[in-house]
Amino acid sequence: LFCLFVFLLEMNKLISRPHKRPNALCRLICFPWSGGNCSFFDRWCEVFSSTIEVSVIRLAGRECRDKEPFPEDMAEVVNEITSALLKDLQEKPFAFFGHSFGSYVSYAVTVHLKEEYGLEPVHLFFSGAYGLHSEYFLLMTKFREIEDSRMLEYLDMLGGTPPEFLENEQINKHLLRILKEDQKVLHTYLWRDIRKKYLSCDVTCFNGSDENEHGSEAWLAVTTGDTSIHSLPGNHFYLLEPSNETFLIKYITKCIENSDI
């Protein structure tokens, strides 16, 4: 019983699920961006229809897990998420939504679930996920080599981070640490082994129209399922714009409810 209690306690740290919906037809698992937290997606837990239960992934080293050591590599991240969610994912249909770094994590988890358990999401939603050969992706993998001042300038250009955070030395120091640790994780995954047509689920890519040469359409090649791409007004953090967020929620709901669940 004690071991079960400890497991549930750890799972509650990894998975934020403010609004449990045991009668939901499908689970939507959200993966935040690097340096992000659960707060944005926690709102989705309430605004989605009763047919969808939303959960948010919280990795070690941030929020209520800030005393825990950061993950060493993508394998550690994938194994932790899979261990915590496997029972839920075997129980009923699920979909993944990831933004930026979260998209890459969601892909790695998806491949692992397919390889080890024969499980696939009904839909994969990639948001702000740069193509592997894009200039943006290559820059992301080199974050640890870039001076902190340049990284802060880049964050300011991307948007999504309140200016007062970037001006606060203590906050931006912590933020930069998270970014570098997340990019370390990103760097450990064998992206050159990305599987073409390995999945059969539907895949949708979203990105901001102000970002050129993002290459996100490359992700459509990972599946034999239906694919689509949507360019919404704004930059990398287009989803923080209320009208774009509303579009995402309606679109994701429609896709899930129209899937074979």
Side-chain angles (χ1 to χ4, degrees):
L1 283 178
F2 177 75
C3 291
L4 177 61
F5 172 76
V6 171
F7 173 76
L8 291 174
L9 184 63
E10 293 303 313
M11 188 176 75
N12 286 336
K13 289 183 179 181
L14 172 70
I15 304 166
S16 176
R17 191 181 292 158
H19 296 275
K20 293 181 174 64
R21 290 175 173 167
N23 297 321
L25 298 178
C26 184
R27 292 188 164 98
L28 175 65
I29 315 300
C30 297
F31 298 75
W33 53 90
S34 181
N37 54 43
C38 291
S39 60
F40 176 80
F41 292 113
D42 276 347
R43 298 203 312 272
W44 287 19
C45 298
E46 187 173 6
V47 300
F48 267 86
S49 72
S50 60
T51 60
I52 301 171
E53 181 184 69
V54 177
S55 300
V56 191
I57 298 298
R58 181 192 293 113
L59 299 182
R62 62 216 78 197
E63 298 181 273
C64 65
R65 304 187 67 189
D66 63 344
K67 303 301 182 187
E68 299 177 42
F70 286 96
E72 283 296 316
D73 52 33
M74 185 69 85
E76 182 180 339
V77 171
V78 168
N79 289 332
E80 182 186 35
I81 293 172
T82 303
S83 297
L85 284 176
L86 185 59
K87 185 174 181 296
D88 286 349
L89 302 185
Q90 290 173 326
E91 184 180 74
K92 62 178 64 176
F94 62 95
F96 286 164
F97 179 97
H99 182 72
S100 198
F101 172 72
S103 290
Y104 305 120
V105 175
S106 72
Y107 172 77
V109 173
T110 299
V111 170
H112 182 70
L113 288 170
K114 174 85 180 262
E115 286 180 339
E116 298 297 323
Y117 305 99
L119 290 173
E120 278 192 59
V122 296
H123 207 120
L124 261 179
F125 300 98
F126 291 130
S127 172
Y130 304 130
L132 300 183
H133 301 294
S134 69
E135 180 182 348
Y136 289 110
F137 184 83
L138 294 175
L139 180 61
M140 286 173 63
T141 61
K142 295 179 179 179
F143 262 11
R144 289 177 297 161
E145 304 168 16
I146 299 174
E147 294 179 4
D148 289 354
S149 58
R150 286 191 61 199
M151 284 184 65
L152 291 172
E153 289 175 6
Y154 182 67
L155 289 177
D156 189 37
M157 180 193 72
L158 286 179
T161 306
E164 59 270 23
F165 282 16
L166 297 177
E167 294 167 3
N168 184 298
E169 185 176 351
Q170 185 174 359
I171 292 177
N172 65 45
K173 182 179 180 181
H174 181 64
L175 178 60
L176 288 171
R177 172 76 191 283
I178 293 175
L179 288 172
K180 290 177 181 180
E181 292 291 340
D182 286 348
Q183 300 323 306
K184 181 182 73 173
V185 164
L186 192 65
H187 196 64
T188 63
Y189 196 71
L190 297 178
W191 296 107
R192 64 178 181 274
D193 292 340
I194 189 169
R195 316 290 181 84
K196 300 296 184 183
K197 305 298 182 186
Y198 184 64
L199 306 174
S200 60
C201 60
D202 295 345
V203 172
T204 299
C205 288
F206 304 101
N207 55 62
S209 59
D210 293 348
E211 285 196 304
N212 298 319
E213 305 296 330
H214 43 68
S216 59
E217 64 276 358
W219 289 103
L220 304 181
V222 302
T223 187
T224 58
D226 292 338
T227 62
S228 59
I229 187 165
H230 295 270
S231 188
L232 301 176
N235 59 16
H236 188 61
F237 286 97
Y238 73 90
L239 73 172
L240 300 182
E241 172 61 41
S243 60
N244 288 337
E245 183 183 10
T246 298
F247 174 86
L248 287 175
I249 291 168
K250 289 181 177 179
Y251 185 91
I252 293 168
T253 299
K254 181 180 178 181
C255 287
I256 290 176
E257 292 184 345
N258 288 344
S259 62
D260 187 19
I261 59 174

